[in-house]
Amino acid sequence: MMAFGLIALIAGAASALMFASIISGAMISLVLFYLAPLPLMVAAIGWGPLCASLGGIAAAIGLGALFGLPYCIAFAVTVALPAWWLGHLALLGRPVGSLAPDAASAKSPPEPGIEWYPVGRLLLWIAGFATLTTMAALLTLGSDAETITGTLRRGLMRLLRTTDPQTSGEASQLVDALVRMVPAGATIIAMMTLTLNLWLSAKVTATSGRLRRPWPDLMAAELPPMTLVALCIALAFCFTGGLLAIVAQIATAALMMAYALTGFAVLHTLTLALKSRTFWLGSTYAVVVVFGWPVIAMVILGLADAVFGFRERFLRSRQPPPLPTP
């Protein structure tokens, strides 16, 4: 029990230090800030959600005592809560059916198979947390749309004047465009960093031998069917205006990134028959990382697979034909 508590405290302290490193203003601190959920996620997947919850509570209290209540709340909402819940869901499973006993152990009862929590639903939870954390960050700037956009605009203008004191009208138009893009951009970053943290934590626990579930088939990841309905509703609310429109834009960006990730899964599946598969996949990832905007193609591919079932058709075509009956 002491070792369990010590692991929880170490994970919480590591996450808290990485989260608080942003105060230093160094470039490396930005990387540490985005990787802050990683130690708690490793504790959740390797030692259970209780370990992550204890470490998260201790870290939040410590940050609150040192830096004040806002840091405590921010850490709890953006780091501790997603790490605990995603770690819990990653280990969630239920018995389904049973495996038939072999001849050597016919007297022993068959062991039930386990259906683990689907990867697609994990992506949906990550999208929800990305929406929650981005909206919580924006609400610290104001309680209505005009205040939020005004605060963002003043901050960007101040940043622009520090780099170029002689700003022009074109710069003002650029700032206005950036203000409209900030909520979606912040959501995309939150979505990608949470996904990366969950993947890294699972890899770490799998390498250490503490992963208590088999590694999932990431190429089979798909979002629940109702996700497409939720995306259409969020898109419709984007044109309403006010705070509701900002929330809808954030939710739309998160769901589109979820479909982009499933689009990569579709790409991995559809390229199984290619001899130069590694080259094409590597080139695709490189283009997306360098330019960014080609991720739209992955969003379209993920949406098309959700509607037309490309992966299912492709895998069905690769199966050998049934043997003729005598």
Side-chain angles (χ1 to χ4, degrees):
M1 188 64 185
M2 287 186 62
F4 182 86
L6 184 61
I7 291 170
L9 290 177
I10 292 174
S15 286
L17 288 173
M18 294 166 74
F19 180 82
S21 67
I22 197 68
I23 300 174
S24 67
M27 286 297 296
I28 189 63
S29 66
L30 191 62
V31 178
L32 295 174
F33 175 80
Y34 283 124
L35 291 177
L38 182 60
L40 287 176
M41 282 188 181
V42 171
I45 297 176
W47 286 267
L50 179 60
C51 184
S53 62
L54 292 176
I57 292 171
I61 293 174
L63 285 173
L66 291 174
F67 302 106
L69 185 61
Y71 277 84
C72 173
I73 297 175
F75 178 84
V77 172
T78 63
V79 177
L81 180 61
W84 164 71
W85 186 245
L86 292 175
H88 164 70
L89 292 178
L91 299 178
L92 197 62
R94 61 182 180 183
V96 289
S98 60
L99 300 176
D102 54 18
S105 59
K107 295 182 180 180
S108 61
E111 295 182 0
I114 297 179
E115 180 186 9
W116 297 99
Y117 200 76
V119 176
R121 293 185 179 272
L122 278 173
L123 285 177
L124 201 57
W125 276 104
I126 292 174
F129 279 120
T131 303
L132 173 66
T133 55
T134 305
M135 199 61 220
L138 290 179
L139 287 176
T140 60
L141 305 178
S143 58
D144 59 89
E146 292 183 1
T147 306
I148 291 173
T149 55
T151 306
L152 285 174
R153 193 178 191 284
R154 287 191 296 272
L156 290 172
M157 286 296 294
R158 193 180 304 116
L159 181 63
L160 189 61
R161 287 195 184 99
T162 57
T163 57
D164 185 12
Q166 297 179 349
T167 56
S168 60
E170 293 181 358
S172 180
Q173 294 177 359
L174 175 62
V175 168
D176 290 337
L178 289 175
V179 166
R180 289 192 291 268
M181 295 168 56
V182 162
T187 307
I188 292 171
I189 293 174
M191 181 82 184
M192 297 307 299
T193 52
L194 273 177
T195 305
L196 178 63
N197 277 303
L198 184 60
W199 183 83
L200 285 175
S201 59
K203 277 294 184 182
V204 169
T205 50
T207 304
S208 63
R210 296 199 63 91
L211 186 62
R212 289 175 284 174
R213 62 167 291 176
W215 191 260
D217 182 11
L218 299 180
M219 289 194 301
E222 59 180 359
L223 297 170
M226 289 302 294
T227 308
L228 194 57
V229 178
L231 177 59
C232 293
I233 295 173
L235 276 171
F237 279 109
C238 287
F239 301 96
T240 56
L243 190 61
L244 180 60
I246 294 178
V247 176
Q249 291 166 12
I250 291 172
T252 300
L255 292 176
M256 282 190 172
M257 281 309 300
Y259 275 111
L261 293 174
T262 59
F264 281 109
V266 175
L267 184 66
H268 276 261
T269 303
L270 298 182
T271 54
L272 285 173
L274 295 180
K275 294 182 179 179
S276 54
R277 180 171 181 260
T278 304
F279 169 77
W280 288 111
L281 289 177
S283 300
T284 303
Y285 279 104
V287 168
V288 171
V289 170
V290 172
F291 297 102
W293 64 264
V295 75
I296 298 174
M298 294 297 103
V299 176
I300 295 173
L301 186 58
L303 289 170
D305 178 71
V307 176
F308 301 107
F310 289 151
R311 276 180 293 184
E312 184 180 355
R313 295 182 183 183
F314 176 79
L315 293 175
R316 194 187 304 126
S317 66
R318 285 174 56 87
Q319 293 177 354
L323 296 175
T325 57

PDB file of all heavy atoms in Angstrom, residues 221-223 228 231 255-267 295-311:
ATOM      1  N   ALA A 221     -10.495   1.456 -35.558  1.00  0.00           N
ATOM      2  CA  ALA A 221     -11.147   2.498 -34.760  1.00  0.00           C
ATOM      3  C   ALA A 221     -12.212   3.203 -35.584  1.00  0.00           C
ATOM      4  O   ALA A 221     -11.962   3.636 -36.704  1.00  0.00           O
ATOM      5  CB  ALA A 221     -10.104   3.507 -34.272  1.00  0.00           C
ATOM      6  N   GLU A 222     -13.405   3.306 -35.026  1.00  0.00           N
ATOM      7  CA  GLU A 222     -14.504   4.027 -35.673  1.00  0.00           C
ATOM      8  C   GLU A 222     -15.366   4.686 -34.618  1.00  0.00           C
ATOM      9  O   GLU A 222     -15.536   4.166 -33.518  1.00  0.00           O
ATOM     10  CB  GLU A 222     -15.345   3.096 -36.547  1.00  0.00           C
ATOM     11  CG  GLU A 222     -15.976   1.936 -35.807  1.00  0.00           C
ATOM     12  CD  GLU A 222     -16.802   1.058 -36.732  1.00  0.00           C
ATOM     13  OE1 GLU A 222     -16.872   1.386 -37.927  1.00  0.00           O
ATOM     14  OE2 GLU A 222     -17.376   0.068 -36.254  1.00  0.00           O
ATOM     15  N   LEU A 223     -15.883   5.848 -34.947  1.00  0.00           N
ATOM     16  CA  LEU A 223     -16.715   6.609 -34.036  1.00  0.00           C
ATOM     17  C   LEU A 223     -18.136   6.065 -34.038  1.00  0.00           C
ATOM     18  O   LEU A 223     -18.584   5.490 -35.034  1.00  0.00           O
ATOM     19  CB  LEU A 223     -16.718   8.085 -34.426  1.00  0.00           C
ATOM     20  CG  LEU A 223     -15.356   8.784 -34.353  1.00  0.00           C
ATOM     21  CD1 LEU A 223     -15.441  10.169 -34.985  1.00  0.00           C
ATOM     22  CD2 LEU A 223     -14.883   8.897 -32.916  1.00  0.00           C
ATOM     23  N   LEU A 228     -21.905  11.523 -36.154  1.00  0.00           N
ATOM     24  CA  LEU A 228     -22.156  12.298 -37.363  1.00  0.00           C
ATOM     25  C   LEU A 228     -23.346  13.241 -37.176  1.00  0.00           C
ATOM     26  O   LEU A 228     -23.328  14.381 -37.649  1.00  0.00           O
ATOM     27  CB  LEU A 228     -22.406  11.359 -38.540  1.00  0.00           C
ATOM     28  CG  LEU A 228     -22.356  11.963 -39.947  1.00  0.00           C
ATOM     29  CD1 LEU A 228     -21.011  12.633 -40.196  1.00  0.00           C
ATOM     30  CD2 LEU A 228     -22.620  10.895 -40.991  1.00  0.00           C
ATOM     31  N   LEU A 231     -22.137  16.122 -35.071  1.00  0.00           N
ATOM     32  CA  LEU A 231     -21.332  17.044 -35.879  1.00  0.00           C
ATOM     33  C   LEU A 231     -22.221  17.964 -36.721  1.00  0.00           C
ATOM     34  O   LEU A 231     -21.952  19.172 -36.816  1.00  0.00           O
ATOM     35  CB  LEU A 231     -20.384  16.253 -36.772  1.00  0.00           C
ATOM     36  CG  LEU A 231     -19.514  17.064 -37.738  1.00  0.00           C
ATOM     37  CD1 LEU A 231     -18.631  18.048 -36.981  1.00  0.00           C
ATOM     38  CD2 LEU A 231     -18.660  16.132 -38.598  1.00  0.00           C
ATOM     39  N   LEU A 255     -14.747  17.321 -33.043  1.00  0.00           N
ATOM     40  CA  LEU A 255     -15.315  16.169 -33.738  1.00  0.00           C
ATOM     41  C   LEU A 255     -14.657  15.960 -35.104  1.00  0.00           C
ATOM     42  O   LEU A 255     -14.447  14.815 -35.526  1.00  0.00           O
ATOM     43  CB  LEU A 255     -16.826  16.354 -33.904  1.00  0.00           C
ATOM     44  CG  LEU A 255     -17.645  16.309 -32.612  1.00  0.00           C
ATOM     45  CD1 LEU A 255     -19.101  16.591 -32.884  1.00  0.00           C
ATOM     46  CD2 LEU A 255     -17.488  14.963 -31.922  1.00  0.00           C
ATOM     47  N   MET A 256     -14.309  17.043 -35.790  1.00  0.00           N
ATOM     48  CA  MET A 256     -13.629  16.887 -37.070  1.00  0.00           C
ATOM     49  C   MET A 256     -12.240  16.279 -36.887  1.00  0.00           C
ATOM     50  O   MET A 256     -11.796  15.469 -37.719  1.00  0.00           O
ATOM     51  CB  MET A 256     -13.530  18.245 -37.776  1.00  0.00           C
ATOM     52  CG  MET A 256     -14.819  18.680 -38.449  1.00  0.00           C
ATOM     53  SD  MET A 256     -14.596  20.126 -39.498  1.00  0.00           S
ATOM     54  CE  MET A 256     -16.210  20.196 -40.306  1.00  0.00           C
ATOM     55  N   MET A 257     -11.555  16.642 -35.811  1.00  0.00           N
ATOM     56  CA  MET A 257     -10.251  16.028 -35.555  1.00  0.00           C
ATOM     57  C   MET A 257     -10.407  14.554 -35.212  1.00  0.00           C
ATOM     58  O   MET A 257      -9.553  13.730 -35.561  1.00  0.00           O
ATOM     59  CB  MET A 257      -9.535  16.767 -34.431  1.00  0.00           C
ATOM     60  CG  MET A 257      -8.878  18.061 -34.867  1.00  0.00           C
ATOM     61  SD  MET A 257      -7.805  17.867 -36.322  1.00  0.00           S
ATOM     62  CE  MET A 257      -6.626  16.678 -35.723  1.00  0.00           C
ATOM     63  N   ALA A 258     -11.499  14.206 -34.526  1.00  0.00           N
ATOM     64  CA  ALA A 258     -11.767  12.791 -34.257  1.00  0.00           C
ATOM     65  C   ALA A 258     -11.966  12.032 -35.573  1.00  0.00           C
ATOM     66  O   ALA A 258     -11.452  10.911 -35.749  1.00  0.00           O
ATOM     67  CB  ALA A 258     -12.995  12.648 -33.362  1.00  0.00           C
ATOM     68  N   TYR A 259     -12.698  12.634 -36.509  1.00  0.00           N
ATOM     69  CA  TYR A 259     -12.869  11.996 -37.816  1.00  0.00           C
ATOM     70  C   TYR A 259     -11.559  11.980 -38.605  1.00  0.00           C
ATOM     71  O   TYR A 259     -11.324  11.070 -39.412  1.00  0.00           O
ATOM     72  CB  TYR A 259     -13.962  12.705 -38.610  1.00  0.00           C
ATOM     73  CG  TYR A 259     -15.345  12.192 -38.283  1.00  0.00           C
ATOM     74  CD1 TYR A 259     -16.252  12.981 -37.595  1.00  0.00           C
ATOM     75  CD2 TYR A 259     -15.734  10.901 -38.646  1.00  0.00           C
ATOM     76  CE1 TYR A 259     -17.521  12.510 -37.282  1.00  0.00           C
ATOM     77  CE2 TYR A 259     -16.996  10.426 -38.344  1.00  0.00           C
ATOM     78  CZ  TYR A 259     -17.884  11.230 -37.655  1.00  0.00           C
ATOM     79  OH  TYR A 259     -19.132  10.750 -37.354  1.00  0.00           O
ATOM     80  N   ALA A 260     -10.695  12.970 -38.393  1.00  0.00           N
ATOM     81  CA  ALA A 260      -9.386  12.949 -39.050  1.00  0.00           C
ATOM     82  C   ALA A 260      -8.559  11.760 -38.567  1.00  0.00           C
ATOM     83  O   ALA A 260      -7.883  11.089 -39.360  1.00  0.00           O
ATOM     84  CB  ALA A 260      -8.646  14.256 -38.779  1.00  0.00           C
ATOM     85  N   LEU A 261      -8.619  11.482 -37.268  1.00  0.00           N
ATOM     86  CA  LEU A 261      -7.880  10.336 -36.729  1.00  0.00           C
ATOM     87  C   LEU A 261      -8.434   9.019 -37.269  1.00  0.00           C
ATOM     88  O   LEU A 261      -7.674   8.099 -37.574  1.00  0.00           O
ATOM     89  CB  LEU A 261      -7.929  10.366 -35.202  1.00  0.00           C
ATOM     90  CG  LEU A 261      -7.166  11.527 -34.552  1.00  0.00           C
ATOM     91  CD1 LEU A 261      -7.400  11.566 -33.052  1.00  0.00           C
ATOM     92  CD2 LEU A 261      -5.673  11.425 -34.843  1.00  0.00           C
ATOM     93  N   THR A 262      -9.760   8.928 -37.381  1.00  0.00           N
ATOM     94  CA  THR A 262     -10.312   7.722 -37.999  1.00  0.00           C
ATOM     95  C   THR A 262      -9.971   7.681 -39.491  1.00  0.00           C
ATOM     96  O   THR A 262      -9.842   6.593 -40.074  1.00  0.00           O
ATOM     97  CB  THR A 262     -11.833   7.662 -37.819  1.00  0.00           C
ATOM     98  OG1 THR A 262     -12.444   8.815 -38.411  1.00  0.00           O
ATOM     99  CG2 THR A 262     -12.201   7.600 -36.347  1.00  0.00           C
ATOM    100  N   GLY A 263      -9.800   8.857 -40.110  1.00  0.00           N
ATOM    101  CA  GLY A 263      -9.365   8.888 -41.500  1.00  0.00           C
ATOM    102  C   GLY A 263      -7.988   8.275 -41.674  1.00  0.00           C
ATOM    103  O   GLY A 263      -7.732   7.556 -42.656  1.00  0.00           O
ATOM    104  N   PHE A 264      -7.082   8.538 -40.725  1.00  0.00           N
ATOM    105  CA  PHE A 264      -5.769   7.886 -40.774  1.00  0.00           C
ATOM    106  C   PHE A 264      -5.909   6.375 -40.614  1.00  0.00           C
ATOM    107  O   PHE A 264      -5.174   5.603 -41.249  1.00  0.00           O
ATOM    108  CB  PHE A 264      -4.862   8.451 -39.683  1.00  0.00           C
ATOM    109  CG  PHE A 264      -4.249   9.778 -40.030  1.00  0.00           C
ATOM    110  CD1 PHE A 264      -4.662  10.938 -39.396  1.00  0.00           C
ATOM    111  CD2 PHE A 264      -3.259   9.872 -40.993  1.00  0.00           C
ATOM    112  CE1 PHE A 264      -4.109  12.171 -39.719  1.00  0.00           C
ATOM    113  CE2 PHE A 264      -2.691  11.089 -41.323  1.00  0.00           C
ATOM    114  CZ  PHE A 264      -3.122  12.242 -40.693  1.00  0.00           C
ATOM    115  N   ALA A 265      -6.837   5.939 -39.760  1.00  0.00           N
ATOM    116  CA  ALA A 265      -7.077   4.495 -39.612  1.00  0.00           C
ATOM    117  C   ALA A 265      -7.578   3.894 -40.922  1.00  0.00           C
ATOM    118  O   ALA A 265      -7.179   2.787 -41.316  1.00  0.00           O
ATOM    119  CB  ALA A 265      -8.084   4.250 -38.491  1.00  0.00           C
ATOM    120  N   VAL A 266      -8.461   4.619 -41.621  1.00  0.00           N
ATOM    121  CA  VAL A 266      -8.949   4.171 -42.928  1.00  0.00           C
ATOM    122  C   VAL A 266      -7.792   4.088 -43.921  1.00  0.00           C
ATOM    123  O   VAL A 266      -7.674   3.121 -44.692  1.00  0.00           O
ATOM    124  CB  VAL A 266     -10.041   5.116 -43.451  1.00  0.00           C
ATOM    125  CG1 VAL A 266     -10.471   4.718 -44.858  1.00  0.00           C
ATOM    126  CG2 VAL A 266     -11.242   5.115 -42.523  1.00  0.00           C
ATOM    127  N   LEU A 267      -6.917   5.089 -43.907  1.00  0.00           N
ATOM    128  CA  LEU A 267      -5.767   5.097 -44.820  1.00  0.00           C
ATOM    129  C   LEU A 267      -4.859   3.900 -44.561  1.00  0.00           C
ATOM    130  O   LEU A 267      -4.375   3.252 -45.505  1.00  0.00           O
ATOM    131  CB  LEU A 267      -4.989   6.399 -44.654  1.00  0.00           C
ATOM    132  CG  LEU A 267      -3.816   6.615 -45.602  1.00  0.00           C
ATOM    133  CD1 LEU A 267      -4.296   6.771 -47.033  1.00  0.00           C
ATOM    134  CD2 LEU A 267      -3.006   7.841 -45.190  1.00  0.00           C
ATOM    135  N   VAL A 295      -4.703  17.901 -43.490  1.00  0.00           N
ATOM    136  CA  VAL A 295      -5.486  17.060 -42.589  1.00  0.00           C
ATOM    137  C   VAL A 295      -6.966  17.093 -42.964  1.00  0.00           C
ATOM    138  O   VAL A 295      -7.735  16.189 -42.584  1.00  0.00           O
ATOM    139  CB  VAL A 295      -5.280  17.521 -41.123  1.00  0.00           C
ATOM    140  CG1 VAL A 295      -6.049  18.806 -40.832  1.00  0.00           C
ATOM    141  CG2 VAL A 295      -5.700  16.429 -40.142  1.00  0.00           C
ATOM    142  N   ILE A 296      -7.378  18.115 -43.726  1.00  0.00           N
ATOM    143  CA  ILE A 296      -8.766  18.176 -44.202  1.00  0.00           C
ATOM    144  C   ILE A 296      -9.094  16.931 -45.030  1.00  0.00           C
ATOM    145  O   ILE A 296     -10.222  16.414 -44.988  1.00  0.00           O
ATOM    146  CB  ILE A 296      -8.989  19.459 -45.014  1.00  0.00           C
ATOM    147  CG1 ILE A 296      -8.765  20.692 -44.136  1.00  0.00           C
ATOM    148  CG2 ILE A 296     -10.392  19.495 -45.621  1.00  0.00           C
ATOM    149  CD1 ILE A 296      -8.811  22.006 -44.884  1.00  0.00           C
ATOM    150  N   ALA A 297      -8.112  16.444 -45.800  1.00  0.00           N
ATOM    151  CA  ALA A 297      -8.339  15.233 -46.595  1.00  0.00           C
ATOM    152  C   ALA A 297      -8.620  14.034 -45.692  1.00  0.00           C
ATOM    153  O   ALA A 297      -9.449  13.173 -46.017  1.00  0.00           O
ATOM    154  CB  ALA A 297      -7.121  14.958 -47.483  1.00  0.00           C
ATOM    155  N   MET A 298      -7.944  13.978 -44.523  1.00  0.00           N
ATOM    156  CA  MET A 298      -8.188  12.893 -43.590  1.00  0.00           C
ATOM    157  C   MET A 298      -9.575  13.013 -42.952  1.00  0.00           C
ATOM    158  O   MET A 298     -10.239  12.006 -42.690  1.00  0.00           O
ATOM    159  CB  MET A 298      -7.107  12.894 -42.498  1.00  0.00           C
ATOM    160  CG  MET A 298      -5.714  12.568 -43.002  1.00  0.00           C
ATOM    161  SD  MET A 298      -5.598  10.890 -43.692  1.00  0.00           S
ATOM    162  CE  MET A 298      -5.601  11.261 -45.446  1.00  0.00           C
ATOM    163  N   VAL A 299      -9.992  14.255 -42.709  1.00  0.00           N
ATOM    164  CA  VAL A 299     -11.354  14.463 -42.189  1.00  0.00           C
ATOM    165  C   VAL A 299     -12.379  13.952 -43.196  1.00  0.00           C
ATOM    166  O   VAL A 299     -13.332  13.232 -42.834  1.00  0.00           O
ATOM    167  CB  VAL A 299     -11.597  15.960 -41.891  1.00  0.00           C
ATOM    168  CG1 VAL A 299     -13.041  16.185 -41.456  1.00  0.00           C
ATOM    169  CG2 VAL A 299     -10.648  16.448 -40.806  1.00  0.00           C
ATOM    170  N   ILE A 300     -12.189  14.295 -44.471  1.00  0.00           N
ATOM    171  CA  ILE A 300     -13.112  13.852 -45.519  1.00  0.00           C
ATOM    172  C   ILE A 300     -13.104  12.328 -45.632  1.00  0.00           C
ATOM    173  O   ILE A 300     -14.162  11.690 -45.775  1.00  0.00           O
ATOM    174  CB  ILE A 300     -12.736  14.503 -46.857  1.00  0.00           C
ATOM    175  CG1 ILE A 300     -12.928  16.020 -46.774  1.00  0.00           C
ATOM    176  CG2 ILE A 300     -13.567  13.929 -47.999  1.00  0.00           C
ATOM    177  CD1 ILE A 300     -12.419  16.771 -47.986  1.00  0.00           C
ATOM    178  N   LEU A 301     -11.910  11.728 -45.524  1.00  0.00           N
ATOM    179  CA  LEU A 301     -11.815  10.269 -45.615  1.00  0.00           C
ATOM    180  C   LEU A 301     -12.521   9.606 -44.443  1.00  0.00           C
ATOM    181  O   LEU A 301     -13.214   8.592 -44.607  1.00  0.00           O
ATOM    182  CB  LEU A 301     -10.341   9.856 -45.662  1.00  0.00           C
ATOM    183  CG  LEU A 301     -10.046   8.373 -45.904  1.00  0.00           C
ATOM    184  CD1 LEU A 301     -10.671   7.901 -47.209  1.00  0.00           C
ATOM    185  CD2 LEU A 301      -8.543   8.122 -45.910  1.00  0.00           C
ATOM    186  N   GLY A 302     -12.354  10.162 -43.231  1.00  0.00           N
ATOM    187  CA  GLY A 302     -13.041   9.609 -42.070  1.00  0.00           C
ATOM    188  C   GLY A 302     -14.549   9.737 -42.175  1.00  0.00           C
ATOM    189  O   GLY A 302     -15.292   8.808 -41.841  1.00  0.00           O
ATOM    190  N   LEU A 303     -15.017  10.904 -42.660  1.00  0.00           N
ATOM    191  CA  LEU A 303     -16.459  11.093 -42.841  1.00  0.00           C
ATOM    192  C   LEU A 303     -17.005  10.162 -43.924  1.00  0.00           C
ATOM    193  O   LEU A 303     -18.098   9.596 -43.774  1.00  0.00           O
ATOM    194  CB  LEU A 303     -16.739  12.551 -43.212  1.00  0.00           C
ATOM    195  CG  LEU A 303     -16.549  13.580 -42.092  1.00  0.00           C
ATOM    196  CD1 LEU A 303     -16.629  14.992 -42.656  1.00  0.00           C
ATOM    197  CD2 LEU A 303     -17.595  13.396 -41.002  1.00  0.00           C
ATOM    198  N   ALA A 304     -16.260  10.006 -45.023  1.00  0.00           N
ATOM    199  CA  ALA A 304     -16.711   9.133 -46.105  1.00  0.00           C
ATOM    200  C   ALA A 304     -16.793   7.679 -45.638  1.00  0.00           C
ATOM    201  O   ALA A 304     -17.729   6.950 -46.010  1.00  0.00           O
ATOM    202  CB  ALA A 304     -15.763   9.256 -47.302  1.00  0.00           C
ATOM    203  N   ASP A 305     -15.839   7.260 -44.814  1.00  0.00           N
ATOM    204  CA  ASP A 305     -15.889   5.889 -44.304  1.00  0.00           C
ATOM    205  C   ASP A 305     -17.082   5.698 -43.370  1.00  0.00           C
ATOM    206  O   ASP A 305     -17.712   4.638 -43.368  1.00  0.00           O
ATOM    207  CB  ASP A 305     -14.593   5.563 -43.560  1.00  0.00           C
ATOM    208  CG  ASP A 305     -14.602   4.166 -42.977  1.00  0.00           C
ATOM    209  OD1 ASP A 305     -14.520   3.198 -43.752  1.00  0.00           O
ATOM    210  OD2 ASP A 305     -14.697   4.050 -41.733  1.00  0.00           O
ATOM    211  N   ALA A 306     -17.401   6.738 -42.575  1.00  0.00           N
ATOM    212  CA  ALA A 306     -18.556   6.638 -41.689  1.00  0.00           C
ATOM    213  C   ALA A 306     -19.860   6.506 -42.464  1.00  0.00           C
ATOM    214  O   ALA A 306     -20.799   5.852 -42.002  1.00  0.00           O
ATOM    215  CB  ALA A 306     -18.612   7.861 -40.770  1.00  0.00           C
ATOM    216  N   VAL A 307     -19.929   7.115 -43.652  1.00  0.00           N
ATOM    217  CA  VAL A 307     -21.157   7.082 -44.450  1.00  0.00           C
ATOM    218  C   VAL A 307     -21.197   5.854 -45.360  1.00  0.00           C
ATOM    219  O   VAL A 307     -22.222   5.168 -45.451  1.00  0.00           O
ATOM    220  CB  VAL A 307     -21.287   8.374 -45.284  1.00  0.00           C
ATOM    221  CG1 VAL A 307     -22.515   8.299 -46.191  1.00  0.00           C
ATOM    222  CG2 VAL A 307     -21.381   9.581 -44.366  1.00  0.00           C
ATOM    223  N   PHE A 308     -20.082   5.562 -46.038  1.00  0.00           N
ATOM    224  CA  PHE A 308     -20.088   4.519 -47.073  1.00  0.00           C
ATOM    225  C   PHE A 308     -19.416   3.213 -46.637  1.00  0.00           C
ATOM    226  O   PHE A 308     -19.532   2.211 -47.358  1.00  0.00           O
ATOM    227  CB  PHE A 308     -19.399   5.043 -48.339  1.00  0.00           C
ATOM    228  CG  PHE A 308     -20.050   6.264 -48.910  1.00  0.00           C
ATOM    229  CD1 PHE A 308     -19.439   7.507 -48.804  1.00  0.00           C
ATOM    230  CD2 PHE A 308     -21.276   6.183 -49.549  1.00  0.00           C
ATOM    231  CE1 PHE A 308     -20.034   8.645 -49.325  1.00  0.00           C
ATOM    232  CE2 PHE A 308     -21.883   7.320 -50.076  1.00  0.00           C
ATOM    233  CZ  PHE A 308     -21.267   8.558 -49.958  1.00  0.00           C
ATOM    234  N   GLY A 309     -18.695   3.199 -45.503  1.00  0.00           N
ATOM    235  CA  GLY A 309     -18.093   1.959 -45.029  1.00  0.00           C
ATOM    236  C   GLY A 309     -16.982   1.435 -45.924  1.00  0.00           C
ATOM    237  O   GLY A 309     -16.981   0.253 -46.307  1.00  0.00           O
ATOM    238  N   PHE A 310     -16.014   2.295 -46.280  1.00  0.00           N
ATOM    239  CA  PHE A 310     -14.932   1.884 -47.170  1.00  0.00           C
ATOM    240  C   PHE A 310     -14.108   0.733 -46.588  1.00  0.00           C
ATOM    241  O   PHE A 310     -13.749  -0.212 -47.298  1.00  0.00           O
ATOM    242  CB  PHE A 310     -14.011   3.073 -47.466  1.00  0.00           C
ATOM    243  CG  PHE A 310     -14.633   4.106 -48.357  1.00  0.00           C
ATOM    244  CD1 PHE A 310     -14.263   5.445 -48.268  1.00  0.00           C
ATOM    245  CD2 PHE A 310     -15.577   3.748 -49.296  1.00  0.00           C
ATOM    246  CE1 PHE A 310     -14.837   6.395 -49.093  1.00  0.00           C
ATOM    247  CE2 PHE A 310     -16.156   4.691 -50.129  1.00  0.00           C
ATOM    248  CZ  PHE A 310     -15.787   6.025 -50.022  1.00  0.00           C
ATOM    249  N   ARG A 311     -13.790   0.830 -45.298  1.00  0.00           N
ATOM    250  CA  ARG A 311     -12.957  -0.217 -44.690  1.00  0.00           C
ATOM    251  C   ARG A 311     -13.640  -1.580 -44.731  1.00  0.00           C
ATOM    252  O   ARG A 311     -13.006  -2.599 -45.047  1.00  0.00           O
ATOM    253  CB  ARG A 311     -12.614   0.153 -43.247  1.00  0.00           C
ATOM    254  CG  ARG A 311     -11.435   1.062 -43.094  1.00  0.00           C
ATOM    255  CD  ARG A 311     -11.158   1.372 -41.670  1.00  0.00           C
ATOM    256  NE  ARG A 311     -12.214   2.179 -41.046  1.00  0.00           N
ATOM    257  CZ  ARG A 311     -12.169   2.644 -39.822  1.00  0.00           C
ATOM    258  NH1 ARG A 311     -11.137   2.369 -39.060  1.00  0.00           N
ATOM    259  NH2 ARG A 311     -13.147   3.389 -39.345  1.00  0.00           N
TER     260      ARG A 311
END
